[in-house]
Amino acid sequence: MAIAVTAVMKRGCYRLPVQGVPRRKKHPSPSYYAGLVTRSARPAAHPVSSTIPLPPKWATWRNLDHTQAKRVCQSVKSVKSSASQHPWSNWADSIMTGPASELQLTASDMWVRWKSARLAASRTSTVLTGQNQQWVLSMDGVTSNPPNGNDVLKEFLQDKSAREILSNFFVEPNSEDPSGRLNDAAIIAIDTEWWQKHPNPMTELGISELQNKFILPNIYANNILTGVQTVHARLKPYAHLHNDFPGAGDPEKFELGTTKFVTEEEARQVLVDTFVRPHELDPTNLQPIILVGHAVENEFEHILEAFGVDLLSYGTIVKVIDTQVMAEEAGIRGPRGPLISLKNLLSHFNLTVPNLHSAGNDAAATLMAAVLITLKENLYPGVGTNKPPAVVDNINIQWIVSALLTENKTPAPLWGVELFCTRCERENHLRANCFAKLQCEICKCSGVKRLYNASRTHAAGRCMFKYWALPPRDVGMHP
């Protein structure tokens, strides 16, 4: 017989409640020993499981009376504290009938093995990963699953070019895939924006996914590109911080969908839900992800620093595609060197996406650029590395963006809130409609006239001088 031990995610940690072994309590009551033997815990979306062989007679644990249950608890406690070599039969036989030959492991050995499983789960499963790993604890220790289909697919795609991989979804399916899972992969683009001044917190998160696949492209591949679905999130603690460098985007102008305000914990969960998905046909495995980005290596670093989430650790990303590298391989060069900006890359295809340097718009634009580079030879035969025409069959390619801004706009996601004031932090209006009376104590007491005059525009929690040193005091200003 085996009793399952399940690792449950709670407050960013894993804990392992053991079915059949009561937990330690400072002042245990009779009901604790006799009735509350198995504690239920909130199930995680993707639990990490271990199976530990325990003596068969533990199946009758629920039938013990108060005295018998208390004796078992005391025995387990003594083993935990002194690591004494009490065999299971020494005390189990006095409580439960059954041949001692069935009870082969000592109590201390069983405890060490359970602790080993717990340690293995904590070392290999990061916070909020949602990984569906299976751990089996045998007489030889802890072993993990053999490589799954995602590992095989990742190895197969390692030497494939980005254009060759993406062509599988639009032009010619790849029949050499040994895992048979490439067609099930999701194509996702991600972009982040952060405040360019110290301490550089992340302010926006944009995620875009291509929904229309395995269809032959028509003019400009508009039947594919209009299937780009994008979500845009602004982080509540830093949503009031706006960049002012030339070309900076406006986070309040996301027109491809609905902007949602989220906490850092909610943003972390959005990432997990995006990159850790059960496979539709095989729920025991996770769906493979092809990640697209523009200078995508920067995104991994920023996400890890902001949320402590390592996207590559989930084992679902089977290929990372960088549109800068794709453009260079296709002979599309920027005006200032081989690495091209996203704006210039879109301009090569006569496409303009409004308000770039905003996370949601950049994510959608990156995914559109990847599709256009992949299909350039099919859409514009003979063009080569030159710029393709803007109008084909009396249709302008800019119509695609117009469609995404109107009838093909992405529905609002279920997470986050639509209304959040970056001035007073209330969730029933936006900053433009805020009439709350507040005053920043930092600016009020700064001794700087211009800061004092601006002290009623924000609360102290939203003051930039939480991060910066105050300027010198003005002459004649009172503290």
Side-chain angles (χ1 to χ4, degrees):
M1 170 187 174
I3 294 182
V5 178
T6 303
V8 180
M9 187 186 313
K10 185 174 183 181
R11 296 179 183 175
C13 301
Y14 284 108
R15 58 194 182 102
L16 296 171
V18 181
Q19 296 178 5
V21 179
R23 295 180 181 173
R24 184 176 180 181
K25 196 171 183 180
K26 189 172 182 180
H27 300 292
S29 63
S31 62
Y32 169 74
Y33 289 112
L36 303 179
V37 175
T38 303
R39 305 289 183 90
S40 61
R42 183 176 59 184
H46 304 283
V48 179
S49 300
S50 301
T51 302
I52 300 180
L54 291 181
K57 296 307 175 182
W58 276 73
T60 60
W61 169 260
R62 293 176 180 269
N63 300 324
L64 300 182
D65 59 25
H66 167 63
T67 304
Q68 293 172 330
K70 186 173 181 179
R71 291 173 62 185
V72 173
C73 293
Q74 291 173 341
S75 299
V76 173
K77 182 177 179 181
S78 66
V79 172
K80 289 169 59 178
S81 59
S82 62
S84 58
Q85 299 296 319
H86 294 305
W88 289 99
S89 55
N90 283 356
W91 49 271
D93 281 350
S94 63
I95 300 175
M96 297 171 285
T97 59
S101 59
E102 295 181 358
L103 310 174
Q104 300 175 355
L105 296 178
T106 65
S108 58
D109 287 342
M110 191 61 66
W111 181 255
V112 169
R113 291 176 184 276
W114 177 74
K115 292 291 285 185
S116 299
R118 181 174 183 175
L119 181 61
S122 65
R123 283 181 175 175
T124 56
S125 301
T126 56
V127 175
L128 289 173
T129 61
Q131 296 180 65
N132 189 21
Q133 299 176 353
Q134 300 294 324
W135 289 91
V136 178
L137 185 63
S138 63
M139 296 294 291
D140 299 325
V142 181
T143 59
S144 63
N145 272 347
N148 56 31
N150 287 345
D151 297 328
V152 176
L153 178 58
K154 183 177 181 179
E155 184 177 356
F156 171 71
L157 298 178
Q158 184 174 0
D159 299 326
K160 305 290 183 182
S161 68
R163 185 180 179 280
E164 185 179 358
I165 294 171
L166 293 181
S167 295
N168 173 80
F169 300 94
F170 314 124
V171 182
E172 184 178 357
N174 193 313
S175 59
E176 301 177 357
D177 174 22
S179 67
R181 306 185 67 182
L182 178 57
N183 292 343
D184 302 326
I187 304 175
I188 295 175
I190 190 169
D191 186 80
T192 59
E193 296 293 331
W194 61 97
W195 198 37
Q196 296 292 330
K197 300 176 182 178
H198 181 77
N200 309 110
M202 185 179 294
T203 57
E204 298 176 70
L205 175 66
I207 301 174
S208 190
E209 181 171 358
L210 187 63
Q211 301 291 340
N212 297 348
K213 297 179 291 186
F214 303 107
I215 55 178
L216 292 176
N218 56 13
I219 299 176
Y220 296 129
N222 66 299
N223 57 338
I224 297 174
L225 294 177
T226 51
V228 172
Q229 299 283 287
T230 308
V231 294
H232 179 229
R234 297 177 63 187
L235 276 75
K236 290 181 180 180
Y238 312 110
H240 62 292
L241 302 176
H242 289 201
N243 289 314
D244 55 3
F245 60 84
D250 187 349
E252 298 183 358
K253 294 182 179 179
F254 173 66
E255 300 176 353
L256 301 176
T258 303
T259 296
K260 287 295 190 77
F261 292 88
V262 297
T263 63
E264 291 179 278
E265 184 65 27
E266 287 174 326
R268 186 181 295 113
Q269 191 60 50
V270 168
L271 288 169
V272 173
D273 293 340
T274 300
F275 290 93
V276 184
R277 311 175 180 181
H279 196 282
E280 293 182 359
L281 302 179
D282 183 11
T284 60
N285 279 298
L286 299 177
Q287 182 183 18
I289 305 291
I290 296 175
L291 179 62
V292 182
H294 195 80
V296 69
E297 291 298 330
N298 296 333
E299 311 300 344
F300 292 130
E301 298 174 4
H302 296 147
I303 290 174
L304 180 61
E305 182 178 353
F307 306 118
V309 171
D310 183 1
L311 296 180
L312 297 176
S313 69
Y314 298 152
T316 57
I317 299 178
V318 295
K319 186 68 175 182
V320 177
I321 293 176
D322 194 323
T323 49
Q324 274 191 337
V325 178
M326 287 187 71
E328 186 176 6
E329 292 175 349
I332 304 174
R333 299 175 61 88
R336 299 181 180 178
L339 296 181
I340 191 171
S341 68
L342 182 58
K343 179 180 179 180
N344 290 330
L345 179 56
L346 294 173
S347 178
H348 176 83
F349 291 98
N350 305 289
L351 203 60
T352 301
V353 175
N355 193 38
L356 289 178
H357 282 296
S358 176
N361 297 336
D362 278 14
T366 300
L367 198 52
M368 295 169 68
V371 173
L372 289 173
I373 295 173
T374 301
L375 297 176
K376 183 178 180 181
E377 295 181 5
N378 302 85
L379 298 176
Y380 313 102
V383 171
T385 60
N386 297 324
K387 186 173 182 176
V391 179
V392 176
D393 292 343
N394 297 322
I395 298 178
N396 195 306
I397 191 173
Q398 190 63 27
W399 173 86
I400 297 174
V401 176
S402 301
L404 288 174
L405 296 175
T406 54
E407 62 265 23
N408 293 96
K409 183 176 291 191
T410 304
L414 299 179
W415 41 260
V417 295
E418 291 188 34
L419 297 178
F420 177 77
C421 180
T422 58
R423 179 173 178 264
C424 68
E425 303 184 8
R426 296 175 183 171
E427 296 184 354
N428 58 358
H429 63 273
L430 297 175
R431 182 184 180 91
N433 302 319
C434 182
F435 300 98
K437 294 182 179 180
L438 44 81
Q439 188 170 26
C440 173
E441 292 296 325
I442 299 176
C443 294
K444 176 184 176 182
C445 303
S446 65
V448 181
K449 185 176 181 179
R450 65 180 179 86
L451 297 185
Y452 178 84
N453 293 338
S455 63
R456 296 188 183 276
T457 63
H458 59 281
R462 300 279 166 175
C463 185
M464 296 183 184
F465 290 98
K466 287 174 54 179
Y467 313 110
W468 303 342
L470 286 167
R473 301 175 65 89
D474 292 337
V475 178
M477 286 290 295
H478 298 287

